[in-house]
Amino acid sequence: MSSVTYTDFIEAAKNFIEISNRCCDGWKFIEHDKDKCYLRKETFLNYKNGDYERLLKADYVIFYKESYCVPSFSFNVWNSAGMLLSLDDIRTMSLISINKKDFYSVVTQQEHPIFQRPYFIIHPCHTESVLAAFKDKSKNIIVTFLGLVCPLLNINLPLEYGM
Amino acid sequence: MANDREVLREIWDGKLPICFHLAQEEIMEIQQPDPFYVMVPRLSYFPLVIDKMKRHFLRFISQENSDSEMWLDFNGQPLKWHYPIGFLYDLYCGNDPQLPWTLTVHFTKFPEDILLHCPNKDVVEAHYMSTVKEADVLKHRGQVMSTMQKKDHNQLWLGLQNDKFDQFWAINRRLMESHGDNDGFKHIPLRIYTDDGVYNQRLVCPKNTDNSRKTLQQMISELYPEKSNVNLRTHGVIIPPETPLQWLSEHLSYPDNFLHLCLC
């Protein structure tokens, strides 16, 4: 079972931040505790669906899940009235056409291990097997990881990260 | 191996008397509803034991809220339904026991920055199973859960939901076995909570570097070197500091396979 160590994660995260700063993608590296660091991006999204358009606020956090030895992706999205979007709202925004059952098996609302507040989190089991396949070929494990997550959650990943 | 059946049984049978009151602002009728009393298993979760209580209060609330998500508070503190009931009681009332435990029921103003949504019992099951899996990853690199069949996973949940000790432990004992050359788990699934509800989850080994069994006291000294006289409570009791962690994990874990310990 291939795994990413915490040191691998930190190294990839610092590298990731350098790229983010260069292309002004807005990610921050935060040291929560001596052994709990994470990447965070708070941003606004302009979601368009045909004629329908709305402004949303998103909070993305990439952190290290110690029990599973993998990076983990967590997020929350609020509408302009400050209400949290439901999991089904997120699913309909996905670039991938995915049914409820499948989506809910990959993304669930959980208590965030760092903030201990509700966040939507992508299941580590799914990340683990895909990352294992890419581990030796990937220049930055977090970029690879985000590459998997972005289409599912309709997040833009600038090309600069791949260079 | 969780050998001490008497201890397992005693933990399983633990119950708490709860008194539910409907929040004043929810009451739409002139007549005040009676409080609802019920004895609940310490090891269960609130969404599994509140059906009758909900029916009891439904006719007193505004009809437009009858499909809203119900939530509970104790002294203004919203209760996290995904924590076992007995643990919540130890966390908030451990130092100051008060029975029956009096809780307030709400149908509006769901605190979505604090509580997870729980639209149905499947969500409780999904949460429970994912915690058991995480515990198995910590103990056995996930090997026990991944070699079990779906029907075994279901039996764990059904055993818990229907209060069937033998049905539950027929499967759970496999999760309590040590594997390979270790005569213990790789890591002990545990969370230590301070009285504000914040928890600390660390990688803890059941053995010391000299291969001796690590005791609770030894773990406390490692995690809280600057504190003296630290006690941990679980299932309503203060744990003797000389208790080996391996034994504690096998016998005093909750059905989710984690030790949930309150710092006091």
Side-chain angles (χ1 to χ4, degrees):
Chain A
M1 194 173 77
S2 184
S3 56
V4 176
T5 66
Y6 185 61
T7 323
D8 291 340
F9 174 79
I10 296 287
E11 204 184 301
K14 289 188 168 156
N15 191 264
F16 180 87
I17 284 292
E18 278 175 25
I19 309 176
S20 170
N21 289 339
R22 275 207 302 272
C23 61
C24 300
D25 196 29
W27 287 89
K28 295 193 190 114
F29 180 79
I30 308 202
E31 289 184 57
H32 177 85
D33 216 334
K34 63 174 183 352
D35 53 3
K36 271 193 177 68
C37 299
Y38 58 89
L39 290 165
R40 187 177 209 165
K41 179 176 176 180
E42 289 172 271
T43 186
F44 288 93
L45 307 171
N46 210 2
Y47 175 60
K48 277 194 185 114
N49 184 6
D51 290 335
Y52 176 66
E53 191 174 334
R54 52 180 183 166
L55 190 64
L56 304 169
K57 176 168 177 222
D59 175 18
Y60 304 128
V61 179
I62 301 174
F63 63 102
Y64 183 73
K65 191 122 178 77
E66 198 174 42
S67 323
Y68 289 91
C69 300
V70 277
S72 212
F73 190 90
S74 56
F75 62 97
N76 275 320
V77 184
W78 296 266
N79 63 23
S80 48
M83 276 186 57
L84 203 58
L85 255 56
S86 74
L87 203 49
D88 209 46
D89 291 332
I90 309 283
R91 181 185 69 88
T92 52
M93 282 168 53
S94 176
L95 286 176
I96 302 173
S97 175
I98 180 170
N99 68 39
K100 280 190 194 189
K101 189 164 185 280
D102 291 340
F103 193 76
Y104 297 168
S105 73
V106 178
V107 190
T108 51
Q109 193 189 36
Q110 294 172 38
E111 184 175 53
H112 201 287
I114 299 178
F115 310 116
Q116 293 178 27
R117 277 191 347 255
Y119 268 80
F120 292 116
I121 304 189
I122 298 188
H123 282 212
C125 325
H126 296 262
T127 331
E128 230 180 328
S129 43
V130 184
L131 280 184
F134 280 102
K135 197 178 180 198
D136 297 322
K137 302 165 204 155
S138 158
K139 278 198 297 187
N140 184 309
I141 203 73
I142 290 178
V143 174
T144 307
F145 172 66
L146 262 190
L148 304 170
V149 168
C150 291
L152 186 68
L153 301 176
N154 197 352
I155 297 170
N156 183 39
L157 190 65
L159 282 175
E160 278 89 340
Y161 286 107
M163 295 171 183
Chain B
M1 226 359 267
N3 290 325
D4 200 329
R5 201 175 185 279
E6 214 181 300
V7 170
L8 299 180
R9 188 79 227 200
E10 183 109 15
I11 299 283
W12 183 269
D13 290 335
K15 297 223 191 318
L16 280 171
I18 314 260
C19 172
F20 292 104
H21 286 271
L22 184 58
Q24 267 306 120
E25 65 264 22
E26 307 286 349
I27 302 174
M28 291 293 141
E29 298 289 316
I30 308 236
Q31 187 197 12
Q32 290 284 303
D34 287 334
F36 188 88
Y37 290 87
V38 62
M39 204 64 162
V40 300
R42 269 179 161 268
L43 299 187
S44 190
Y45 297 95
F46 276 115
L48 303 183
V49 304
I50 44 76
D51 285 341
K52 275 197 183 143
M53 177 271 278
K54 187 173 180 181
R55 283 199 296 275
H56 170 82
F57 287 127
L58 266 181
R59 67 183 192 279
F60 294 93
I61 64 171
S62 165
Q63 279 321 290
E64 66 186 22
N65 294 327
S66 55
D67 285 328
S68 298
E69 197 169 342
M70 191 173 69
W71 58 280
L72 305 171
D73 91 66
F74 170 65
N75 278 359
Q77 174 72 44
L79 294 183
K80 293 183 179 179
W81 61 261
H82 64 290
Y83 289 173
I85 297 173
F87 164 70
L88 286 167
Y89 178 76
D90 286 342
L91 185 63
Y92 296 120
C93 304
N95 286 326
D96 179 29
Q98 29 187 293
L99 296 174
W101 194 21
T102 303
L103 304 178
T104 309
V105 181
H106 302 264
F107 289 87
T108 54
K109 299 199 198 108
F110 188 86
E112 60 182 17
D113 53 336
I114 302 175
L115 299 184
L116 301 178
H117 281 291
C118 187
N120 54 58
K121 294 201 174 73
D122 290 344
V123 175
V124 187
E125 181 181 359
H127 173 265
Y128 168 75
M129 293 307 306
S130 92
T131 311
V132 174
K133 283 181 184 154
E134 184 180 351
D136 189 45
V137 168
L138 287 168
K139 289 194 274 191
H140 310 113
R141 293 187 172 86
Q143 280 157 14
V144 178
M145 282 299 273
S146 60
T147 53
M148 271 190 203
Q149 296 178 346
K150 182 93 175 68
K151 67 173 174 63
D152 295 332
H153 295 177
N154 291 343
Q155 188 172 327
L156 266 183
W157 174 246
L158 288 172
L160 174 62
Q161 209 182 0
N162 302 326
D163 196 14
K164 297 263 189 284
F165 178 84
D166 291 316
Q167 186 185 27
F168 176 81
W169 273 98
I171 307 295
N172 204 46
R173 64 177 180 77
R174 287 151 65 180
L175 291 166
M176 292 303 176
E177 276 165 9
S178 304
H179 280 230
D181 3 291
N182 323 320
D183 57 336
F185 302 141
K186 180 165 196 284
H187 292 113
I188 303 284
L190 63 76
R191 290 186 184 147
I192 302 177
Y193 301 75
T194 45
D195 52 20
D196 53 1
V198 171
Y199 71 78
N200 188 5
Q201 179 175 338
R202 294 289 179 84
L203 289 179
V204 176
C205 293
K207 297 257 180 78
N208 293 309
T209 44
D210 64 359
N211 222 33
S212 61
R213 293 189 307 171
K214 188 176 288 182
T215 64
L216 192 70
Q217 182 56 59
Q218 284 167 329
M219 178 193 74
I220 291 174
S221 307
E222 273 173 28
L223 294 179
Y224 304 99
E226 72 290 349
K227 286 193 189 166
S228 60
N229 200 28
V230 172
N231 279 313
L232 290 172
R233 174 182 291 116
T234 193
H235 303 291
V237 299
I238 302 274
I239 312 167
E242 64 275 11
T243 313
L245 287 178
Q246 179 68 29
W247 185 92
L248 203 56
S249 182
E250 289 168 6
H251 294 84
L252 263 64
S253 291
Y254 281 80
D256 63 12
N257 276 230
F258 266 80
L259 286 166
H260 296 281
L261 310 174
C262 303
L263 212 56
C264 53

